[in-house]
Amino acid sequence: MIGAFVGAVLTITVTSVLSWDRITAGGTAQRAQAAQASARAKAFAAPPGSCLQWTKADRSDIHQVACTEEHLFEMVGVADVSGVFGKDAPFPPPEQRQQLQQERCTPVANQYLSGKLDPHGRFKVSSLTSEQEWRNGDRTMRCGLQVPTASGALYPVFGPVAKLDQSDVYDTGICLGINGRNIGDPVTCDRPHSYEIIGTVDLGAQFPKEFPDFRRQDEALANACAAMAGQYAPGQDMKKKGLEIAWDNRSQESWNVGSRKVNCKVGAPLPDSSGLAPVTGSARGEVVVGKEPAPTVTATVPPGAPATTVQPPAEAPHPSERPPAHADQQSPSSAPSQPSPTTQQGG
């Protein structure tokens, strides 16, 4: 009897402990969900000048951080679209939301930056929208600035946009992937790519007084980029490898807001000059230049998800002022075709 009684007590005790663990675990999960919902609400209500961060593709863990910390979105203001969408209007599809954010959020972002937003720079106008809030009657677009890749994934930013150089440049040694005939997300250079970044030129140092038109930019950059190619890959003959030296240009609009830096790069055209050829391998060593367009690839991460950062190789030259490594200069809706790598006349 005593043994049976002890066994019964032990069973009751263990059962009670297991039940308490389940209750505690359930309470912890509920508290975590409540904290996440609170952080989300605060993020969506954050005032202009606030910076937001998330690590999950669905932004379920969105929260506010200091702008000096890593973040994906800087809030610039709000746009009310209730005049366009009534209370019973369905949640607009992605294409319509993108058009709305360009029409409604671009003026907000320009005002936020006192007219200093580079329309061709690395920062793109975007917005935060939520189907749940929309169903609840919210018709407010939270406008912001972010740095998207060609696929729509987002690269981290450190610091407020107003204090950063908006020039659309990449780190030396970065290779830009290829999607069909066009530029893709950054990749390591042992994978097929469109361009390999060989350096950065500050056009403002060469033209301190006035905007140089593309002809003057090209004249200056032809020499500067050729010299950079020699420094980047000493003793290598780019033409024998099938590569051409290329560079970016800066438009008047970009110049007016202070964007003066451009990249020098190497790439190869397709034989019919219909776009960029896939190049495998770094210009510092053996390369293979494809004769056919690269396959068209579908994005592996949803737009708005944090991008995977590609670091330059350790042996890449390090200029005295390294530009931030970020992904593409074009948003998914505006990525241009590249008929020739001779120049890329970006912003």
Side-chain angles (χ1 to χ4, degrees):
M1 286 295 295
I2 293 177
F5 176 74
V6 171
V9 172
L10 180 59
T11 301
I12 294 172
T13 302
V14 172
T15 302
S16 299
V17 169
L18 292 175
S19 298
W20 176 252
D21 285 345
R22 285 194 292 269
I23 293 172
T24 303
T28 300
Q30 289 178 346
R31 286 194 295 273
Q33 291 175 357
Q36 192 173 82
S38 177
R40 176 183 174 85
K42 290 179 180 178
F44 270 71
S50 303
C51 290
L52 308 179
Q53 172 68 350
W54 57 89
T55 61
K56 298 180 179 179
D58 62 359
R59 294 200 305 255
S60 59
D61 62 338
I62 189 171
H63 58 282
Q64 187 173 344
V65 297
C67 288
T68 52
E69 298 178 16
E70 178 179 330
H71 60 274
L72 299 176
F73 190 92
E74 182 172 339
M75 192 79 75
V76 300
V78 297
D80 186 352
V81 295
S82 59
V84 181
F85 300 94
K87 64 178 182 179
D88 297 324
F91 189 59
E95 297 80 9
Q96 190 174 17
R97 295 202 303 273
Q98 188 174 62
Q99 181 180 355
L100 278 171
Q101 74 185 22
Q102 293 303 315
E103 293 175 352
R104 300 301 183 92
C105 288
T106 298
V108 176
N110 257 313
Q111 183 178 15
Y112 173 79
L113 292 176
S114 303
K116 297 293 186 180
L117 174 64
D118 184 349
H120 309 294
R122 65 190 185 102
F123 294 96
K124 306 301 179 186
V125 175
S126 187
S127 65
L128 289 178
T129 55
S130 166
E131 189 168 1
Q132 183 59 50
E133 276 83 359
W134 186 276
R135 289 175 179 172
N136 294 336
D138 188 346
R139 297 295 183 267
T140 301
M141 297 181 69
R142 285 81 176 175
C143 303
L145 293 167
Q146 56 191 27
V147 181
T149 68
S151 66
L154 301 179
Y155 265 68
V157 179
F158 295 85
V161 175
K163 295 183 178 180
L164 299 176
D165 190 333
Q166 296 182 52
S167 299
D168 209 353
V169 289
Y170 300 85
D171 279 339
T172 299
I174 288 288
C175 281
L176 304 182
I178 190 164
N179 187 350
R181 294 172 169 83
N182 304 319
I183 294 174
D185 290 4
V187 296
T188 54
C189 295
D190 59 346
R191 296 177 58 189
H193 56 270
S194 56
Y195 284 121
E196 182 174 355
I197 304 301
I198 61 173
T200 303
V201 176
D202 184 354
L203 285 170
Q206 299 190 48
F207 302 98
K209 294 184 178 180
E210 60 184 8
F211 168 72
D213 59 24
F214 284 173
R215 179 186 62 81
R216 295 171 67 197
Q217 290 185 38
D218 289 344
E219 289 174 352
L221 290 168
N223 294 326
C225 291
M228 282 189 169
Q231 296 169 1
Y232 182 79
Q236 302 293 322
D237 189 323
M238 297 299 169
K239 287 187 177 181
K240 286 185 178 180
K241 292 174 180 288
L243 301 175
E244 295 183 9
I245 299 172
W247 52 84
D248 297 335
N249 292 105
R250 285 291 163 256
S251 67
Q252 177 83 67
E253 300 134 309
S254 296
W255 193 272
N256 290 345
V257 300
S259 297
R260 310 290 167 84
K261 294 177 181 178
V262 300
N263 276 142
C264 295
K265 51 197 177 182
V266 291
L270 287 167
D272 62 0
S273 299
S274 63
L276 294 165
V279 179
T280 305
S282 172
R284 289 192 179 91
E286 296 294 326
V287 301
V288 176
V289 179
K291 302 301 183 183
E292 299 292 333
T296 300
V297 297
T298 303
T300 56
V301 295
T308 301
T309 303
V310 177
Q311 298 294 340
E315 69 272 14
H318 293 277
S320 58
E321 183 181 355
R322 284 178 65 88
H326 72 279
D328 202 9
Q329 49 258 54
Q330 302 294 336
S331 62
S333 64
S334 60
S337 61
Q338 298 289 336
S340 170
T342 303
T343 60
Q344 180 188 339
Q345 296 182 351

